[in-house]
Amino acid sequence: MGFAASVVTIFPEMFPGPLGQSLTGKALERGDWSLDTVNPRSFTHDRHQSVDDTPFGGGAGMVMRPDVIAAAIDAAAPPGDERPRIYLTPRGRRFVQADARRLAEGPGVVLLCGRYEGVDQRVVEARGLDEVSIGDFVLSGGELAAFLVLDAVVRLLPGVLGSASSLAEESFEDGLLEYPHYTRPATWEGRPVPEILLSGHHARIRDWRKDQAKAVTASRRPDLIGAKNVELHLEGN
Ligand code: 6GU
């Protein structure tokens, strides 16, 4: 009864891949979430099992056929399935932390991984697919984007991340990049840890970290300063 992820992909053997390891892998074993794949190839009718064809109007590359993709989506998500359906494509709107939060609060997700030049636009409309991109670059297919989206969501599921980190995250959800981290040894290759961190002055340490977070955000991501996405706290692993 956990979060149910279904991935429509012509490369089902790629899954769970990295999601079978570490935090997400343990959560998968515990049943906090489930993962199944549907291969459009199984819904082809011709001898060559073609999932793609040449684009109407001409141009480079191939396009995934709407009949084959619709059959695969309908098998993954039968009518009445309430899960959001996402088509992973560089044409989509950007996936952000708020999307991960929203998905983590729901019953699951159906992810369609595009290949070739993409999917016939009619199936996007007919099956109500939400077009989502993970960034301004082009991948050879949606599978790696699916890993990324699922990882971002699964770590937010109840009980997946330790409660300590979840609480820490909430208290820092301030739209800033994370402050820098340090551990032992106190001096390494002649580099001392910032003195303040050894002082034991918790209030001053908190202020220093906040200043560091503001400075790194202003320098690397000025677009985040004053942005409305207070959901974001870009904390590292
Ligand atoms: Cl979701 N898919 C592909 N193929 N390329 C991408 C992407 C997705 N997001 C950024 N680049």
Side-chain angles (χ1 to χ4, degrees):
M1 234 326 288
F3 181 90
S6 297
V7 180
V8 177
T9 170
I10 59 169
F11 297 111
E13 60 283 0
M14 284 190 186
F15 291 84
L19 300 172
Q21 303 284 320
S22 189
L23 191 91
T24 51
K26 299 258 165 54
L28 195 53
E29 283 170 16
R30 276 199 307 268
D32 292 338
W33 69 294
S34 66
L35 176 65
D36 61 71
T37 55
V38 172
N39 190 345
R41 198 82 67 191
S42 313
F43 300 89
T44 54
H45 303 292
D46 64 310
R47 201 162 55 84
H48 299 288
Q49 297 194 299
S50 321
V51 296
D52 61 333
D53 208 331
T54 53
F56 281 125
M62 300 289 273
V63 178
M64 292 181 108
R65 293 172 55 106
D67 51 350
V68 172
I69 296 305
I73 288 170
D74 293 346
D81 192 318
E82 303 276 85
R83 294 173 297 165
R85 301 164 182 179
I86 290 177
Y87 166 35
L88 295 161
T89 166
R91 291 187 66 233
R93 69 178 170 78
R94 273 288 282 281
F95 181 81
V96 295
Q97 187 67 15
D99 296 306
R101 289 240 169 247
R102 183 176 43 79
L103 287 174
E105 283 166 13
V109 68
V110 179
L111 297 174
L112 169 61
C113 301
R115 280 272 155 178
Y116 315 110
E117 291 311 301
V119 171
D120 186 299
Q121 197 62 32
R122 292 168 296 178
V123 78
V124 174
E125 294 159 14
R127 292 300 179 272
L129 306 182
D130 185 12
E131 296 183 74
V132 166
S133 161
I134 61 162
D136 296 339
F137 42 81
V138 180
L139 301 171
S140 40
E143 285 78 7
L144 273 85
F147 289 143
L148 183 151
V149 166
L150 290 175
D151 185 274
V153 171
V154 168
R155 64 186 291 282
L156 298 177
L157 296 176
V160 171
L161 215 63
S163 54
S165 353
S166 321
L167 284 176
E169 204 171 63
E170 276 169 16
S171 66
F172 278 113
E173 280 196 349
D174 52 10
L176 296 176
L177 304 184
E178 179 75 314
Y179 54 77
H181 300 278
Y182 301 90
T183 187
R184 282 184 283 276
T187 300
W188 173 74
E189 292 193 351
R191 299 162 184 265
V193 158
E195 209 179 296
I196 178 79
L197 298 178
L198 309 177
S199 70
H201 291 122
H202 301 299
R204 277 195 240 165
I205 290 170
R206 202 172 306 121
D207 290 347
W208 179 85
R209 285 177 166 165
K210 188 78 174 192
D211 288 346
Q212 290 285 312
K214 284 179 185 163
V216 74
T217 307
S219 145
R220 294 178 187 171
R221 295 294 307 278
D223 57 301
L224 294 179
I225 302 288
K228 285 240 312 254
N229 188 10
V230 292
E231 185 105 42
L232 188 77
H233 174 66
L234 293 169
E235 184 173 27
N237 306 292

